[in-house]
Amino acid sequence: MNPAPGPVLVMGAGSIGCYVGGCLQASGVPVHLVGRPRVLQLLGVHGLTLTDLSGARRHLAAAELHLHDTPPAGLAPALVLLCVKSGATAASAAQLALCLPAGTPVLSLQNGVSNVDTAQQHAPRLRVLPGMVPFNVAELPEGRFHRGTDGELAAQDDPLLRPWAPRFQAAGLPLRLHADLRAVQWGKLLLNLNNPVNALSGLPLRAQLLDRNFRCCTAVLIEETLAVLKAAGIEPRRITPVAPRFLPTLLRMPTPVFRVLASRMLRIDAQARSSMADDLRLGRVTEIDALCGEVCRLGEQHGRATPRNARMVELVGRHRPEARPQGGEALRRALGVAA
Ligand SMILES: NC(=O)c1ccc[n+]([C@@H]2O[C@H](COP(=O)([O-])OP(=O)(O)OC[C@H]3O[C@@H](n4cnc5c(N)ncnc54)[C@H](OP(=O)(O)O)[C@@H]3O)[C@@H](O)[C@H]2O)c1
């Protein structure tokens, strides 16, 4: 295999940035991580440990890591991975714009469908491309990042990214390039509509998915979004074995049936949670606006009402935890979902 075209810069050393960047470095690609003092300090003491649901474990010693609190001037990376949450996209892109050569490819590994436009607007001389991460990564103590589900990375097919596909493959992160990533991003967003439900449930993902009340909440959010996408002429790509239009029916099945039919969807570590659950628990800004908020905006553009997604934005935005619905039945009622 050809050597990597040059170093990779990870902008946002959090769950996704440390996991993807760490896998690339473990396979021989030079990687620089830009992150916050809390994470940099942990990595500087413990190094970076990568684990996954198959039991694999890799470790990079602290001395092997290139850690930065701002993008290093003069680095000229061959690829930047944009791995911050949606609310930090504009500021991060503006920082990158200040120090990277014109034309540097920046691959957004973020959820949502608008981060690339936001980043491109704040870094017009860089080449921002959309990507999609299908799997879940959680930060665990002492610099450990754990992948709790499976799946193949996706990105927009572009000559700038083609040389990277074998490097990602060698890092254990197969990367599929797509002619139309927008359809893939909307396919992922449909699945991410479970994130606010999971966050409000207070349960690990697997336990939440095994509760039919919560699944019915996710089903109505998906149904409403599918209607908006149809009005907008967007055909979301299938990300799971189940086609998007069948997801609401599957989710509404009685739990014993769901267990059997959705056995692949349920292949999740018992402790895995959506990162929105952590954001809500820690009082951080969530990505609700990039998920349900995005659906509401698209609905407005195409004359479709989105009361359930709008309600979810409101519920997640409530600052006091006790003001949020407690339990599956309460959430179902708050969303106006029939039993
Ligand atoms: N985690 C997952 O399982 C998963 C899966 C698929 C997709 N995604 C998507 O991937 C993106 C990243 O998610 P994540 O879970 O990896 O988030 P995360 O763990 O919060 O990591 C992002 C990190 O970047 C830091 N950061 C933000 N702005 C920065 C800046 N200007 N300079 C340096 N560091 C900065 C953040 O610090 P602050 O918190 O202080 O801002 C945070 O530590 C999101 O769009 C998410 O939806 C996540």
Side-chain angles (χ1 to χ4, degrees):
M1 193 196 319
N2 292 331
V8 166
L9 179 74
V10 170
M11 187 63 186
S15 299
I16 294 300
C18 285
Y19 188 80
V20 174
C23 289
L24 285 168
Q25 175 153 344
S27 74
V29 178
V31 173
H32 292 254
L33 300 169
V34 181
R36 299 295 194 203
R38 179 190 70 80
V39 179
L40 299 182
Q41 207 232 337
L42 280 169
L43 297 176
V45 171
H46 301 283
L48 173 57
T49 302
L50 309 163
T51 54
D52 67 32
L53 72 168
S54 72
R57 183 182 189 92
R58 282 171 283 185
H59 180 74
L60 295 163
E64 296 175 78
L65 303 174
H66 307 285
L67 305 174
H68 311 270
D69 56 3
T70 53
L75 178 68
L79 179 67
V80 177
L81 302 176
L82 184 56
C83 300
V84 298
K85 290 264 171 67
S86 303
T89 300
S92 305
Q95 271 184 288
L96 293 171
L98 285 177
C99 63
L100 296 183
T104 303
V106 177
L107 176 61
S108 157
L109 292 181
Q110 303 162 284
N111 280 333
V113 296
S114 294
N115 282 303
V116 167
D117 289 347
T118 305
Q120 192 69 80
Q121 209 184 324
H122 287 81
R125 289 166 48 256
L126 307 181
R127 176 93 166 89
V128 188
L129 296 160
M132 189 280 288
V133 177
F135 48 74
N136 176 276
V137 177
E139 182 184 345
L140 299 176
E142 301 187 345
R144 180 175 158 212
F145 291 85
H146 178 75
R147 177 166 64 74
T149 58
D150 280 321
E152 198 174 59
L153 293 176
Q156 181 69 41
D157 188 12
D158 187 284
L160 286 171
L161 292 179
R162 282 182 208 149
W164 286 98
R167 302 302 320 191
F168 277 85
Q169 175 82 36
L173 298 168
L175 169 67
R176 187 184 293 263
L177 301 178
H178 294 257
D180 176 15
L181 201 79
R182 194 167 169 76
V184 176
Q185 287 177 306
W186 275 108
K188 176 75 195 304
L189 192 147
L190 285 172
L191 303 179
N192 286 143
L193 292 173
N194 188 60
N195 293 3
V197 176
N198 177 252
L200 289 173
S201 78
L203 296 172
L205 269 167
R206 195 168 190 284
Q208 174 251 306
L209 282 170
L210 287 172
D211 181 320
R212 185 169 178 275
N213 281 319
F214 287 125
R215 291 201 307 277
C216 288
C217 295
T218 304
V220 292
L221 296 173
I222 293 178
E223 221 157 42
E224 194 173 272
T225 304
L226 285 170
V228 169
L229 291 176
K230 191 165 177 206
I234 298 169
E235 180 79 45
R237 273 293 286 260
R238 183 166 63 79
I239 308 291
T240 63
V242 182
R245 68 180 185 285
F246 296 129
L247 283 170
T249 310
L250 176 68
L251 290 165
R252 286 196 182 97
M253 295 277 177
T255 299
V257 182
F258 179 77
R259 249 183 212 279
V260 176
L261 296 183
S263 58
R264 270 193 61 184
M265 198 189 282
L266 287 170
R267 222 189 300 146
I268 314 172
D269 276 359
Q271 293 313 313
R273 290 170 196 268
S274 71
S275 63
M276 193 181 288
D278 293 333
D279 291 339
L280 207 58
R281 187 172 48 83
L282 297 170
R284 298 190 299 221
V285 176
T286 71
E287 288 190 306
I288 191 68
D289 184 63
L291 302 178
C292 299
E294 192 72 50
V295 175
C296 297
R297 285 189 289 278
L298 191 66
E300 249 168 54
Q301 283 167 27
H302 295 276
R304 303 292 305 214
T306 53
R308 264 63 181 266
N309 277 281
R311 181 84 166 131
M312 208 49 167
V313 173
E314 189 265 316
L315 292 173
V316 170
R318 289 183 183 176
H319 290 299
R320 285 182 305 113
E322 63 278 13
R324 300 176 197 138
Q326 310 291 321
E329 218 178 302
L331 183 58
R332 225 190 53 218
R333 278 201 303 272
L335 287 180
V337 179

